[in-house]
Amino acid sequence: VPEEYWGIDGIFNTNAKDQITAKLYTIGDKKIDKLEIKNKDQVDKILADLAKSNYKIAEVEEKKTKRLPSPPFTTSTLQQEANTHLGFSAKQTMRLAQQLYEGVELGTKGAIGLITYMRTDAVNLSDKFLTEAKELIGTEFGKKYQLSEPRKYNNKSKNAQEAHEAIRPTEVSHTPQSIEQYLDRNQFRLYDLIWRRATATQMAPAELNATIINIASDKNYTFRANGQTIVFDGFLKLYPDRTKENLLPKVKTGETVSCAELKPEQHFTEPPARYSDATLVKEMEAYGIGRPSTYAPTIATIEDRGYIARDERKKFFPNDIAYIVNDLLVEHFPHVVDYQFTAEMENSLDEIAHGKKEWRKVIGGFWVPFKANLDKKEVEISKKELTEEKSDEVCEKCGSPMIIKIGRFGKFLACSNYPECKHTKSLNPEEAKQQEAVEATNEKCEKCGEPMTLRRGRFGPFLGCSGYPKCKNIKNIEVKMNMKCPKCGEGDICQRRSKRGKPFYGCNRYPDCDFALWEKPTGEYCPKCKQPLVYAAKGVIKCSSKECDFKKEAEGEAPTEPEKTPAEE
């Protein structure tokens, strides 16, 4: 349930004609919490109090801070950073890392493994790498970026495999630019990330100058402005993070300032974000669920089996079947799905490996009660009770009651008289009407010669043989985008769907032509490189080519999506 809250910004002019933007920070001696100002009535009261107030600089605080680089990559941090910065899934990251580890042909040098072992939870680096990194940093960036002594990191994971190093380039001399020609685009992007992260660990800290300015009114209100400048970039030169400079003007304590404007802004609380690959891996690591080698396969398995899917922002959400399976396991197998179960089992297995526990006792302690409970539940639990619900609907074909069932694509209505009656329909009334709509066409079925009919399914309109169920031939209806294929020049760009149901835009001459776009084309071509322009986020039109930086503002809103093309089920 969204909760309303407000913030108030003040824009102040200094005597030197500079501007400072500050947020309302305290009322009296009390610091304002995020949800302190709940409605417009409170805002209006504050603004009325501040009317005709006089303001002065109450305090100026400056301090220099140092920022150290993050440790070199482990499996989990590599998956997190690759997802955050490159948009790679955990599975994709590990596939690319495996390729870099196994080796890439570097011209006359032959096949060379470019990174160390990528399934590791250790953060130590070899002395050889530390020495070579220091030399390269001095040559490429100058002595002020070098460390007098190598920087070493300690493993936080109590079960870290000390025999492994962190993920690093095998040779620091293989700079990303020097080998870019031998890598495909995604291999290069991942290698570049690994090389920069590992090398940056041996660079000097970044030096920042943080400034806080408090502006007080004579009505007992205080506004605060925070600023930050980078004095020395240090490792940020090679591995920049989200540090942003916000330069504040020079002012003195006691100096008077004038208020140019007070800007109240309404906000609403938002629910916790859904998991991405990065945040899910981080959570699994925190709970001790799995090891470096299992994060990616675990996520891939529950996605491939349909328990979870991704939304348009690549965030995970659970499907209907996930709720049923989870509720079943929590109710009947609470010990196994407890967050601590995997971590405890991993610890027990480690103690077996170190000779501290006997494996038969550990495995038997789990298996004997689990098998007894499993045998008991196989008798007690009914599949129908889990996957079927009663409904008020009646089958229009045979008059039997309809029941709500769960299938591959979620919940739907099915006739209870199955298999005598196989009638099904969507739970959504509008979608159900569309599914029942059938229109005759002039097209003949190429398999049996019967007329084809226009039907509507879960993915939109399609042509189906009127001889169904004897003939199950169906054909997709092409939704053309009024654009010729820029690759072959012969086909038309049409909306299509991937195996996972995600819409994309490709040439209708596939497989002869494999041109495809994920973003919707505008029908125009880039004035720079002649590639198709596509609709991007936030009302921007951009070039579809990754090598071209052309962008422009969209005029008005992007047109709505055409009707989705059907996917063969």
Side-chain angles (χ1 to χ4, degrees):
V1 179
E3 190 174 343
E4 180 183 10
Y5 67 99
W6 289 71
I8 300 176
D9 287 353
I11 299 175
F12 302 92
N13 293 325
T14 68
N15 296 332
K17 307 299 181 186
D18 292 316
Q19 276 198 338
I20 302 173
T21 299
K23 291 185 177 295
L24 183 61
Y25 183 66
T26 65
I27 299 177
D29 295 329
K30 184 182 178 184
K31 181 182 174 182
I32 298 173
D33 293 330
K34 178 181 176 181
L35 304 178
E36 187 87 19
I37 306 173
K38 296 183 179 298
N39 52 55
K40 194 171 187 304
D41 290 340
Q42 287 180 267
V43 171
D44 290 340
K45 184 178 182 301
I46 292 170
L47 295 180
D49 283 351
L50 289 170
K52 299 181 181 178
S53 284
N54 296 314
Y55 298 89
K56 67 177 182 179
I57 304 297
E59 185 182 10
V60 178
E61 183 182 338
E62 289 186 331
K63 61 178 180 179
K64 289 190 175 181
T65 60
K66 288 187 176 182
R67 180 170 298 175
L68 298 175
S70 299
F73 283 132
T74 61
T75 302
S76 68
T77 55
L78 175 63
Q79 291 173 3
Q80 291 170 48
E81 287 290 286
N83 182 246
T84 303
H85 293 287
L86 307 178
F88 294 167
S89 68
K91 183 178 179 180
Q92 184 181 12
T93 298
M94 296 311 290
R95 186 180 71 248
L96 293 167
Q98 182 78 36
Q99 294 167 3
L100 296 174
Y101 170 70
E102 289 178 355
V104 176
E105 290 283 345
L106 301 185
T108 56
K109 296 180 181 179
I112 294 178
L114 295 176
I115 64 170
T116 53
Y117 192 54
M118 64 285 166
R119 295 184 182 93
T120 176
D121 46 15
V123 290
N124 48 293
L125 295 166
S126 70
D127 291 339
K128 172 180 178 292
F129 176 82
L130 296 176
T131 303
E132 292 175 353
K134 181 177 180 179
E135 292 176 2
L136 181 134
I137 291 165
T139 304
E140 294 291 324
F141 304 105
K143 288 191 175 181
K144 63 180 180 178
Y145 288 92
Q146 286 180 314
L147 295 173
S148 56
E149 294 291 329
R151 182 182 290 114
K152 297 186 178 182
Y153 295 86
N154 296 320
N155 291 311
K156 292 182 180 180
S157 173
K158 64 180 180 179
N159 293 319
Q161 297 169 338
E162 300 291 346
H164 292 158
E165 282 189 76
I167 303 171
R168 64 164 177 86
T170 51
E171 297 289 340
V172 73
S173 58
H174 288 147
T175 63
Q177 291 71 29
S178 69
I179 62 172
E180 182 175 5
Q181 60 180 314
Y182 305 110
L183 306 177
D184 66 32
R185 181 171 178 270
N186 285 340
Q187 287 175 337
F188 170 76
R189 294 169 72 201
L190 188 65
Y191 180 75
D192 179 62
L193 191 70
I194 293 169
W195 187 91
R196 287 190 293 109
R197 175 76 165 236
T199 308
T201 64
Q202 301 309 306
M203 295 180 73
E207 296 177 11
L208 308 175
N209 195 3
T211 305
I212 296 174
I213 299 176
N214 288 338
I215 301 172
S217 81
D218 54 7
K219 301 288 181 67
N220 224 10
Y221 292 85
T222 303
F223 290 80
R224 171 167 285 189
N226 291 289
Q228 180 174 261
T229 55
I230 298 175
V231 179
F232 172 60
D233 54 3
F235 76 92
L236 295 175
K237 188 176 188 70
L238 185 61
Y239 198 85
D241 60 15
R242 295 176 184 175
T243 301
K244 289 184 178 178
E245 286 199 305
N246 178 27
L247 186 62
L248 294 175
K250 290 287 184 183
V251 289
K252 295 181 180 178
T253 302
E255 179 182 333
T256 59
V257 292
S258 60
C259 180
E261 186 182 0
L262 292 174
K263 297 171 64 177
E265 190 170 350
Q266 184 184 35
H267 305 278
F268 291 93
T269 55
E270 294 183 350
R274 291 194 181 277
Y275 284 118
S276 64
D277 284 80
T279 55
L280 188 52
V281 167
K282 185 177 182 180
E283 197 80 351
M284 291 168 69
E285 185 180 35
Y287 277 109
I289 299 172
R291 285 289 172 86
S293 59
T294 63
Y295 299 138
T298 300
I299 295 173
T301 298
I302 58 174
E303 185 178 9
D304 291 343
R305 293 182 182 176
Y307 292 109
I308 61 172
R310 297 175 189 262
D311 61 19
E312 64 279 358
R313 297 172 300 162
K314 297 185 179 179
K315 298 293 184 73
F316 296 119
F317 65 90
N319 288 322
D320 287 336
I321 190 67
Y323 288 102
I324 290 177
V325 171
N326 190 70
D327 290 345
L328 169 75
L329 293 175
V330 169
E331 182 180 353
H332 300 284
F333 301 91
H335 173 62
V336 178
V337 292
D338 181 82
Y339 288 132
Q340 301 304 319
F341 170 76
T342 305
E344 289 171 0
M345 182 59 75
E346 292 277 8
N347 290 334
S348 295
L349 294 174
D350 284 332
E351 290 182 344
I352 291 170
H354 296 143
K356 296 179 180 178
K357 283 188 178 180
E358 207 275 316
W359 75 267
R360 292 180 187 276
K361 289 183 179 179
V362 173
I363 302 304
F366 161 73
W367 178 250
V368 174
F370 173 77
K371 182 65 167 66
N373 189 38
L374 184 64
D375 292 340
K376 179 183 173 187
K377 298 302 179 182
E378 280 185 343
V379 177
E380 292 179 355
I381 299 172
S382 165
K383 182 181 177 183
K384 280 193 173 184
E385 290 178 8
L386 293 170
T387 60
E388 296 181 6
E389 302 173 40
K390 291 182 179 180
S391 78
D392 298 328
E393 296 280 334
V394 176
C395 177
E396 47 265 58
K397 290 193 174 180
C398 73
S400 300
M402 299 284 279
I403 54 176
I404 300 172
K405 300 187 76 172
I406 292 199
R408 183 179 169 194
F409 299 107
K411 292 184 176 181
F412 65 96
L413 283 165
C415 181
S416 60
N417 194 27
Y418 180 86
E420 283 73 21
C421 178
K422 298 180 180 179
H423 180 55
T424 63
K425 68 177 183 178
S426 171
L427 275 170
N428 184 325
E430 290 300 316
E431 194 174 316
K433 285 180 184 177
Q434 289 183 348
Q435 286 177 345
E436 291 164 10
V438 178
E439 299 174 28
T441 67
N442 295 324
E443 192 164 342
K444 298 286 186 183
C445 174
E446 60 264 36
K447 290 188 177 180
C448 69
E450 292 292 322
M452 297 290 278
T453 54
L454 178 64
R455 298 174 179 269
R456 292 179 182 272
R458 60 182 288 106
F459 298 111
F462 65 98
L463 291 176
C465 180
S466 58
Y468 180 87
K470 292 181 180 178
C471 178
K472 297 181 180 179
N473 184 31
I474 63 171
K475 285 178 66 176
N476 288 346
I477 296 175
E478 288 185 347
V479 180
K480 295 184 179 180
M481 307 306 298
N482 298 319
M483 174 179 265
K484 283 289 183 185
C485 175
K487 186 172 183 179
C488 68
E490 298 178 28
D492 293 305
I493 301 298
C494 297
Q495 186 182 13
R496 300 170 61 192
R497 276 189 170 261
S498 68
K499 289 181 180 179
R500 297 187 182 274
K502 184 177 179 180
F504 70 98
Y505 306 88
C507 180
N508 63 353
R509 291 185 63 246
Y510 180 84
D512 295 327
C513 177
D514 61 359
F515 179 81
L517 299 168
W518 284 114
E519 293 100 343
K520 183 179 179 180
T522 66
E524 300 176 343
Y525 295 91
C526 176
K528 281 188 175 182
C529 65
K530 307 305 178 187
Q531 290 297 307
L533 294 177
V534 294
Y535 290 105
K538 299 180 181 178
V540 173
I541 290 175
K542 68 174 185 178
C543 181
S544 58
S545 172
K546 298 282 195 268
E547 286 72 36
C548 181
D549 60 357
F550 177 78
K551 288 183 180 179
K552 69 175 183 177
E553 291 293 323
E555 296 178 4
E557 294 185 2
T560 56
E561 292 289 331
E563 200 144 29
K564 295 174 181 175
T565 54
E568 293 184 12
E569 297 183 48

